[in-house]
C-alpha cells in the first residue's frame, strides 16, 4: 500500500507538470489550434481512477486485518466474495449474496462484520427468500453449532451482525431470538451508560431530570440481563425507536396456536421491562398447549411519553387518530408476513389479541391485508371506517364496564356518531361475540361523578389485560376461545 501511495503522489506531480506546460504553451501560442484540453481531461480521469484503486486496496487491506491477518497476508485466506463485498458491494445480486453467505468460511464471516453494504441488501429482500435461504443452510454439510440446531455458519453469521439479523423479516423466530441474545451485551452497555448519566443528573439536582427515567433505565438493565441469560426472548428490540417484540413460548413441530398480542394506549418500554403487558400471553402459553405468543410494540404508541416510557395524558387523542391507526396497521401486517415465514409458525392457527387501542392496531392490520383465524378484543377501542369483518375469522369481545366502554356510549352532538371511533366499536358490532364481566368493585358504581368511581372504571379497563384472581373468569374464557 505504501508503494502504491508513493507512486500515486508521483503520478499527480507529473500530471500537474504536464497540465502546467499545456497552459503555458496555450498562453504563449494562442494562435495555434490544439486539442490539448483533451489531455488535461484524460489526466484528471487517470488520477481519479488511480485514487479509487488506492481506496479499494485500502478496503481490501482492512478486510484482511479485520479477519485476523494483522496485515500479513500469509496468515489468513478469504474468498473473492468478501473482496467483492468490501470493494463493490452493489455488484453482487441478492441471490448471489445468499449463495455466498451459505458457504462463507469463518474468516469470511469475521471480515463481513466490518462491511455494512451486504446488510442493506438483505434488508431489502423478500422475507420468504430470506426464510428459504436460512432453512437451506440446515441441509448442508456443516455440523450443528449448539443445542438450538444452528449450523456453524449460521451461528457465525448471527454473531457477525446480531442487530441486523435480530430485526430481519424472514428470519425464523428462534434465530432472531438468538441474534438479539448475542446483541444484548452491547445494548446492556448502552443502557448502563445512560443509567450512570441519569444518576449523576439526579445527584446534582438537575432541574430537568426526570426520576421516572432513572427508574425505567434500572428496569431496562435488569430486563436486558435476562435477555443475555436467555430467560427473556426478544424477537425485536430497538430502544431508540421504541420497538420491542417479546416472544413467549418456543416454536416447534407441536406449535398449534400463534398469538400476536398488542397492548393499548400509553404502552411504553418500561411496562415491558416490568412484565405488565405479558400477563395474558404468559397465561395462555402456560394453559393452552402448543401456544407461542408475540407481545408486540413496533414504534411509539398513542400517549407514550418520549423519555420515561410512561403515559402522556395530553396525547390521549392519538388513540382515536385514523392516520396513526393506518400506519400502525401496515407495520403490523408487515410483521405478520415476516413472522409467518417461519416453518414452525406458518401452519399454525393465527390469533390477534388487542387490548384497548391494541384492537384498533389489529383491526387496522386487517385493512392492510393481514388475516387471522381469530381476533379477540379485550375492551377494544374501535376499527377504521373501511374495516370489514373477514368471513373466515371468529371475532370476540371481552370487557368489564370501564372508562373506555363508558366513552363508547357517548354521541357527538354534531356528527350524531360515537365520540370513540365514530361508534365503530367491538361492543357495538354484531360480528363480535360479546363476553361481559362484573368487576370486583362494580357495586360501588352509580355515576361517574367522583374521582373514586373514575378510578374503579380505569381499574376495570386494565383488569381485563391482567393475570390476577379477579380476572380468572375472563382468562378461562380466553383459553376456551383459543381452544375452540
Amino acid at each position: 500500500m505504501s508503494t502504491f501511495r508513493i507512486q500515486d503522489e508521483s503520478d499527480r506531480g507529473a500530471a500537474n507538470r504536464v497540465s502546467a506546460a499545456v497552459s503555458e504553451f496555450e498562453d504563449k501560442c494562442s494562435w495555434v489550434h490544439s486539442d490539448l484540453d483533451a489531455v488535461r481531461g484524460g489526466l484528471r480521469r487517470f488520477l481519479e481512477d488511480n485514487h479509487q484503486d488506492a481506496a479499494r486496496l485500502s478496503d481490501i487491506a482492512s478486510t484482511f486485518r479485520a479477519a485476523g491477518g494483522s496485515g500479513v497476508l500469509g496468515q489468513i485466506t478469504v474468498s473473492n466474495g468478501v473482496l467483492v463485498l468490501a470493494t463493490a458491494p452493489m455488484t453482487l445480486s441478492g441471490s448471489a449474496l445468499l449463495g455466498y453467505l451459505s458457504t462463507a468460511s469463518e474468516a469470511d464471516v469475521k471480515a463481513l462484520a466490518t462491511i455494512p453494504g451486504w446488510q442493506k441488501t438483505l434488508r431489502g429482500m423478500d422475507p420468504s427468500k430470506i426464510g428459504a435461504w436460512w432453512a437451506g443452510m440446515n441441509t448442508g454439510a456443516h455440523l450443528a453449532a449448539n443445542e438450538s440446531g444452528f449450523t456453524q455458519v449460521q451461528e457465525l453469521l448471527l454473531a457477525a451482525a446480531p442487530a441486523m439479523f435480530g430485526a430481519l423479516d424472514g428470519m425464523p423466530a428462534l434465530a432472531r431470538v438468538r441474534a438479539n441474545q448475542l446483541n444484548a451485551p452491547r445494548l446492556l452497555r448502552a443502557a448502563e451508560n445512560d443509567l450512570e448519566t441519569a444518576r449523576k443528573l439526579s445527584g446534582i439536582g438537575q432541574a430537568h431530570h426526570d426520576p421516572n427515567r432513572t427508574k425505567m433505565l434500572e428496569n431496562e438493565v435488569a430486563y436486558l440481563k435476562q435477555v443475555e441469560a436467555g430467560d427473556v426472548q426478544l424477537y425485536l428490540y430497538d430502544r431508540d425507536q421504541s420497538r420491542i417484540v417479546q416472544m413467549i413460548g418456543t416454536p416447534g413441530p407441536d406449535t398449534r396456536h400463534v398469538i400476536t398480542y398488542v397492548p393499548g394506549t400509553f404502552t411504553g418500554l418500561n411496562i415491558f421491562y416490568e412484565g405488565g403487558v405479558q400477563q395474558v400471553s404468559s397465561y395462555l402459553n402456560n394453559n393452552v398447549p402448543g401456544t407461542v405468543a408475540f407481545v408486540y410494540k413496533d414504534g411509539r404508541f398513542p400517549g407514550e411519553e418520549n423519555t420515561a416510557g410512561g403515559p402522556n395524558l395530553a396525547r390521549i387523542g392519538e388513540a382515536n387518530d385514523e392516520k396513526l391507526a393506518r400506519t400502525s396497521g401496515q407495520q403490523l401486517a408487515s410483521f405478520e408476513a415476516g413472522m409467518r415465514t417461519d416453518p414452525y409458525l406458518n401452519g399454525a392457527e393465527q390469533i390477534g389479541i388487542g387490548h384497548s387501542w391494541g384492537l384498533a392496531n389489529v383491526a387496522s392490520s386487517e385493512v392492510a391485508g393481514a388475516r387471522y383465524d381469530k381476533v379477540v378484543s379485550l375492551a377494544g377501542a374501535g376499527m377504521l371506517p373501511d374495516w370489514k369483518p373477514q368471513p373466515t375469522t371468529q371475532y370476540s369481545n371481552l370487557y368489564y364496564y370501564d372508562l373506555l366502554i363508558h366513552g363508547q356510549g357517548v354521541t357527538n352532538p354534531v356528527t350524531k356518531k360515537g365520540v370513540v371511533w365514530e361508534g365503530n366499536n367491538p361492543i357495538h358490532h354484531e360480528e363480535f361475540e360479546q363476553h361481559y364481566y362484573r368487576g370486583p368493585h362494580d357495586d360501588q358504581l352509580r355515576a361517574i361523578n367522583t374521582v373514586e368511581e373514575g378510578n374503579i372504571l380505569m381499574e376495570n379497563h386494565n383488569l381485563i389485560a391482567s393475570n390476577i384472581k379477579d380476572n380468572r373468569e375472563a382468562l378461562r374464557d380466553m383459553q376456551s376461545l383459543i381452544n375452540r
Side-chain angles (χ1 to χ4, degrees):
M1 278 300 301
S2 60
T3 302
F4 196 98
R5 290 195 181 97
I6 291 171
Q7 189 62 49
D8 185 39
E9 291 172 3
S10 175
D11 290 341
R12 285 183 180 277
N16 289 336
R17 289 192 295 272
V18 171
S19 182
V22 168
S23 297
E24 184 181 2
F25 173 78
E26 290 177 335
D27 288 341
K28 292 180 178 179
C29 305
S30 58
W31 49 271
V32 176
H33 175 72
S34 74
D35 290 326
L36 292 177
D37 265 347
V39 174
R40 277 195 290 259
L43 285 171
R44 283 195 300 270
R45 288 191 294 274
F46 169 77
L47 292 174
E48 288 171 1
D49 290 344
N50 216 32
H51 180 71
Q52 290 176 4
D53 287 342
R56 289 191 181 98
L57 282 175
S58 178
D59 287 340
I60 292 171
S62 298
T63 298
F64 276 96
R65 283 193 293 271
S70 303
V72 182
L73 301 188
Q75 293 185 12
I76 194 74
T77 300
V78 295
S79 68
N80 290 336
V82 165
L83 302 182
V84 171
L85 289 173
T87 57
M90 301 312 293
T91 63
L92 204 61
S93 69
S95 58
L97 173 61
L98 295 181
Y100 160 68
L101 293 176
S102 297
T103 57
S105 68
E106 182 175 355
D108 285 352
V109 176
K110 287 181 178 179
L112 285 172
T114 68
I115 304 171
W118 64 280
Q119 298 184 25
K120 183 178 180 181
T121 299
L122 285 188
R123 290 191 188 99
M125 294 188 67
D126 186 279
S128 63
K129 291 184 178 179
I130 296 292
W133 159 70
W134 188 262
M137 279 193 283
N138 285 317
T139 62
H142 295 287
L143 296 176
N146 54 40
E147 64 276 6
S148 298
F150 300 129
T151 68
Q152 182 183 24
V153 171
Q154 286 174 329
E155 184 74 10
L156 288 169
L157 286 169
L158 295 178
M164 187 272 294
F165 281 117
L168 183 61
D169 282 345
M171 291 289 289
L174 290 174
R176 286 182 63 158
V177 166
R178 176 60 177 158
N180 284 308
Q181 183 184 16
L182 292 170
N183 197 38
R186 181 187 67 83
L187 298 168
L188 189 54
R189 285 192 298 272
E192 289 173 335
N193 289 338
D194 287 351
L195 177 58
E196 182 180 1
T197 301
R199 285 173 172 167
K200 286 179 180 177
L201 292 175
S202 178
I204 62 176
Q206 181 79 335
H208 299 293
H209 172 67
D210 184 351
N212 291 327
R213 177 161 175 77
T214 302
K215 181 59 179 175
M216 183 187 77
L217 289 168
E218 290 173 346
N219 291 337
E220 182 183 18
V221 167
Y223 184 82
L224 289 174
K225 286 181 178 178
Q226 294 181 73
V227 175
E228 186 177 30
D231 298 327
V232 167
Q233 302 180 104
L234 280 180
Y235 183 84
L236 174 69
Y237 192 70
D238 184 341
R239 65 199 299 262
D240 294 330
Q241 301 299 320
S242 200
R243 306 178 73 200
I244 181 170
V245 178
Q246 181 177 333
M247 185 175 77
I248 298 174
T250 304
D254 60 343
T255 300
R256 297 170 51 205
H257 313 282
V258 178
I259 294 171
T260 301
Y261 180 93
V262 187
T265 311
F266 304 130
T267 298
L269 291 175
N270 193 47
I271 195 169
F272 272 84
Y273 304 151
E274 294 178 330
V277 291
Q278 297 94 326
Q279 296 180 58
V280 168
S281 296
S282 294
Y283 173 87
L284 294 172
N285 169 256
N286 289 329
N287 290 277
V288 182
T291 297
V292 174
F294 294 88
V295 187
Y296 172 95
K297 170 181 159 53
D298 197 345
R300 299 204 179 278
F301 270 30
E304 179 185 353
E305 203 277 331
N306 289 331
T307 58
N312 184 336
L313 297 176
R315 288 171 38 211
I316 182 66
E318 294 173 351
N320 212 31
D321 187 296
E322 180 179 323
K323 183 178 179 181
L324 176 62
R326 289 193 186 279
T327 302
S328 301
Q330 291 166 359
Q331 187 68 18
L332 177 52
S334 177
F335 161 83
E336 292 292 331
M339 176 267 287
R340 296 180 194 183
T341 62
D342 189 311
Y344 288 143
L345 304 177
N346 62 9
E349 179 184 64
Q350 302 294 329
I351 303 159
I353 301 180
H355 173 229
S356 188
W357 178 84
L359 184 276
N361 197 181
V362 171
S364 296
S365 75
E366 290 185 285
V367 174
R371 294 293 176 262
Y372 304 90
D373 297 295
K374 294 169 184 172
V375 168
V376 179
S377 162
L378 303 181
M383 295 83 75
L384 291 169
D386 49 334
W387 174 85
K388 293 181 175 59
Q390 298 302 311
T392 59
T393 302
Q394 299 176 27
Y395 295 91
S396 305
N397 182 43
L398 289 69
Y399 67 100
Y400 296 88
Y401 184 67
D402 64 16
L403 208 57
L404 179 61
I405 300 302
H406 179 82
Q408 289 172 345
V410 177
T411 301
N412 185 317
V414 177
T415 65
K416 306 303 181 184
K417 297 180 179 180
V419 296
V420 179
W421 288 100
E422 297 187 337
N424 196 22
N425 319 116
I427 194 173
H428 298 142
H429 205 292
E430 62 181 11
E431 196 70 27
F432 284 82
E433 179 181 294
Q434 303 295 329
H435 298 261
Y436 165 71
Y437 310 93
R438 285 186 55 80
H441 305 294
D442 279 11
D443 289 341
Q444 301 173 35
L445 294 173
R446 294 183 181 84
I448 304 179
N449 55 15
T450 67
V451 173
E452 290 80 6
E453 288 174 343
N455 288 339
I456 290 172
L457 293 180
M458 195 66 231
E459 289 172 2
N460 279 354
H461 186 64
N462 294 327
L463 177 60
I464 194 67
S466 70
N467 181 13
I468 62 175
K469 183 179 180 180
D470 288 334
N471 196 41
R472 286 300 162 81
E473 183 182 356
L475 288 168
R476 285 193 293 268
D477 283 350
M478 294 179 213
Q479 181 179 343
S480 298
L481 288 171
I482 303 303
N483 278 322
R484 182 186 295 177

